[in-house]
Amino acid sequence: MHASGKKSDLALLRKVPCAPLRRLLDNLQEVLLATKLALLFPAVLLAIAARIFHFGQEWVFVLSLIGLVPLAERLSFLTEQVAFYIGPTVGGLLNATFGNVTEVIIAIFALYQGKVVVVKCSLLGSVLSNLLLVLGTSLFFGGLANLGTEQLYDKMQVDVNTGLLILGVLCHSLPLMLRYAVSSGEHAESSWDSGLELSRACSIVMLLAYVAYLFFQLKTHRQLFEPQPQEVEDDGDDSVSQDEAVLGFSSAMIWLGVMTLMTALLSEFVVSTIEAASESWELSVSFISVILIPIVGNAAEHAGAVIFAFKNNLDITLGVSLGSATQISMFVVPLSVLVAWIMGVPMDLDFNLLETGCLFLAILVTAFTLQDGSSHYLKGLLLVFCYIVISLCFFVLRQHGNGSNDDQVGVASKPWRI
C-alpha cells in the first residue's frame, strides 16, 4: 500500500508543469508528509497560535512538547540526507551533533534564563529514558516478536558505550563527593567554588573522551558500529534508513535550518512555560524535566529502536539507545557546563545525591543486563520496571522555587499525596 501510494504521488508530481514548483512540492512531500508523525505537525502551528493569542501557558507547554516530536524525527532524517553527500566520517560527526539537537537547544535556552535545574534534570532524564525506557521497551517487544529466534548483538559496542557512561557518572560523582567531604569536615576546600572548577575541568576531559570515541567509531573501528545491510528490510517504514538520498544537498540544508529554527522556537516555549505547567498540574519541575520532556524528545528514536528490535536487528537498537545516552552524557552535558561558563552561569556536574544515584544505578543495571551478548523479553521488562520506579521516585517529590536554583533539585519539601 505504501509503495503504490508513493508511486501515485510521484506520478501526480510529474504532471506539475513548472519545474521549480514541482521540486518544491516534491520536497514538501518528502520532508513533511513522508512520515507517520506528519499528523502531529499541526501542533507546531497551534503552539505558536496559543503563544500569540495568550492561551493558557500549560496549553502552550503541551502543544510545544507534541510539536517537538515530529520536528526531532525530521531533524534526524535531514541529517541522514546531508550525510549522503558529505561522506561517512563528516556525516557521522553531523549525526552525532544533531542527533540530540532538541536537548541541546532546550539546555541553551534554559541556561540563558538561569534555569539550571531544568538543564540538569532534562539531560539526566534523557540518559535515563534512553537506557531504561527506550532500550527496555525495545528488548521487551523485540523478545516477544522473536520468541523462537536467538537474539544476539555485538558485545563490543555495548562495552565501549557502557565504559564511556561509567566515566561520565564518575565525573558527576566527584563534585558531589567533594561537596559532602568538605561539608563533613574531612577535607578543607581550596576555594569557595572548587566544585565548579572541578566540574569544568571534568567537562573538558569528557569532551576529549567523546572526541576519542568518535574517532574510534568513525575511523579505526567503524565496522563495529555499521549495521549489516542484508538485515535491514525496506518495507516502506519511514523509521528505517534508506540506501540513497531523496533530497538534494541544498534542499536538505535549507530544510535542516528551517527545522532547527522551529525546534528552537518550541524549545523556548517549553522552557518559558514549564513552571506554569508545574503549578497547574501540581507536579514538580524535576518530574516534568526528568520524565515528561525526555519521553517526548526521545519519541522518534524510541519508535525506530522498537522497529529494529522487532526485526531482530539489536545492533541498530543498541546503537540508537546506548549511542544517544552516550552522546548526552559525554557531549551535551559537558558542553552545557562550558556554555554556561561562557554565559557566566554557575552550572556544575553536581546533580545532587538522588539524581546521581539514579544515573549510576541505571548504568549499572544496563551494563549487567547486556553483558552476555544475548537478549530476551524479560531483560527488557526489568529495564522498564527500573524506569517506572525511578519515575515514581521523582513523582513523589515536591520542589521549592521556580527551577532556577540548582541547590534544590532533589529537595522533597512537601510529599505528594497518592
Side-chain angles (χ1 to χ4, degrees):
M1 287 292 292
H2 185 90
S4 61
K6 184 81 171 177
K7 288 175 182 175
S8 62
D9 291 341
L10 290 174
L12 288 173
L13 285 174
R14 289 194 190 99
K15 294 179 181 178
V16 177
C18 180
L21 179 60
R22 187 164 60 244
R23 283 195 298 270
L24 176 61
L25 292 175
D26 185 46
N27 282 343
L28 288 172
Q29 161 71 26
E30 293 294 346
V31 176
L32 299 181
L33 301 179
T35 170
K36 293 184 175 67
L37 297 175
L39 293 174
L40 299 181
F41 273 118
V44 177
L45 300 177
L46 290 174
I48 297 172
R51 184 62 174 258
I52 293 174
F53 295 107
H54 305 290
F55 291 176
Q57 288 194 315
E58 59 271 18
W59 281 106
V60 177
F61 180 80
V62 170
L63 290 170
S64 299
L65 277 184
I66 296 173
L68 283 173
V69 175
L71 289 176
E73 191 275 334
R74 291 289 87 183
L75 280 172
S76 176
F77 163 76
L78 290 167
T79 52
E80 288 180 0
Q81 294 299 304
V82 175
F84 281 117
Y85 296 97
I86 59 180
T89 302
V90 182
L93 184 61
L94 185 71
N95 271 314
T97 305
F98 274 85
N100 294 289
V101 70
T102 306
E103 288 88 346
V104 173
I105 293 174
I106 288 177
I108 291 173
F109 275 112
L111 286 173
Y112 181 74
Q113 298 182 22
K115 298 176 182 177
V116 180
V117 169
V118 175
V119 180
K120 290 183 175 181
C121 289
S122 62
L123 296 181
L124 169 83
S126 187
V127 177
L128 293 176
S129 174
N130 277 292
L131 289 180
L132 300 178
L133 183 63
V134 176
L135 182 59
T137 51
S138 298
L139 296 183
F140 175 69
F141 289 113
L144 291 179
N146 298 277
L147 281 175
T149 308
E150 189 176 19
Q151 294 184 282
L152 302 175
Y153 50 83
D154 184 9
K155 198 167 166 295
M156 177 71 76
Q157 183 184 165
V158 174
D159 292 342
V160 170
N161 281 284
T162 52
L164 285 163
L165 289 169
I166 290 171
L167 172 60
V169 79
L170 172 64
C171 292
H172 286 291
S173 302
L174 289 175
L176 173 67
M177 291 188 288
L178 176 66
R179 175 160 61 88
Y180 276 97
V182 171
S183 63
S184 66
E186 293 179 5
H187 299 276
E189 256 183 317
S190 59
S191 65
W192 68 272
D193 58 351
S194 57
L196 189 58
E197 294 171 353
L198 175 62
S199 296
R200 290 166 177 170
C202 287
S203 296
I204 294 173
V205 173
M206 292 166 76
L207 288 175
L208 290 175
Y210 186 72
V211 171
Y213 165 67
L214 288 180
F215 185 76
F216 181 86
Q217 181 185 21
L218 302 175
K219 201 74 177 173
T220 62
H221 290 70
R222 187 189 306 169
Q223 71 279 3
L224 298 178
F225 299 89
E226 288 181 345
Q228 298 300 318
Q230 66 269 20
E231 296 179 12
V232 181
E233 302 171 9
D234 185 11
D235 58 356
D237 200 298
D238 52 80
S239 298
V240 180
S241 298
Q242 298 169 338
D243 294 328
E244 58 183 17
V246 295
L247 294 176
F249 178 72
S250 57
S251 299
M253 290 297 294
I254 292 171
W255 278 109
L256 187 61
V258 171
M259 292 295 177
T260 303
L261 288 174
M262 297 304 298
T263 302
L265 182 65
L266 293 196
S267 298
E268 195 276 330
F269 290 175
V270 167
V271 171
S272 62
T273 57
I274 188 170
E275 290 92 1
S278 172
E279 293 174 7
S280 176
W281 302 335
E282 295 186 333
L283 294 172
S284 68
V285 173
S286 296
F287 178 79
I288 294 176
S289 301
V290 173
I291 306 301
L292 296 185
I293 292 178
I295 287 177
V296 172
N298 294 329
E301 55 195 23
H302 193 168
V306 171
I307 287 169
F308 284 117
F310 261 105
K311 297 180 178 182
N312 200 16
N313 201 328
L314 294 184
D315 285 329
I316 301 181
T317 296
L318 292 172
V320 169
S321 54
L322 282 182
S324 183
T326 303
Q327 285 177 17
I328 292 290
S329 180
M330 299 300 293
F331 175 67
V332 181
V333 171
L335 181 67
S336 299
V337 172
L338 298 183
V339 169
W341 187 8
I342 295 171
M343 298 169 79
V345 178
M347 176 179 171
D348 56 21
L349 291 174
D350 182 357
F351 281 27
N352 286 340
L353 185 60
L354 177 64
E355 288 77 9
T356 306
C358 289
L359 179 61
F360 173 75
L361 292 174
I363 294 171
L364 196 65
V365 168
T366 305
F368 273 103
T369 300
L370 300 175
Q371 65 178 338
D372 63 349
S374 64
S375 177
H376 47 73
Y377 71 89
L378 184 58
K379 287 186 174 184
L381 188 62
L382 293 176
L383 291 178
V384 173
F385 283 158
C386 288
Y387 187 77
I388 290 173
V389 294
I390 289 176
S391 302
L392 290 174
C393 177
F394 284 99
F395 180 75
V396 300
L397 288 182
R398 298 297 290 152
Q399 184 179 349
H400 290 297
N402 62 357
S404 60
N405 187 353
D406 63 331
D407 291 333
Q408 297 169 345
V409 174
V411 177
S413 62
K414 176 181 172 186
W416 182 274
R417 290 183 175 87
I418 301 177

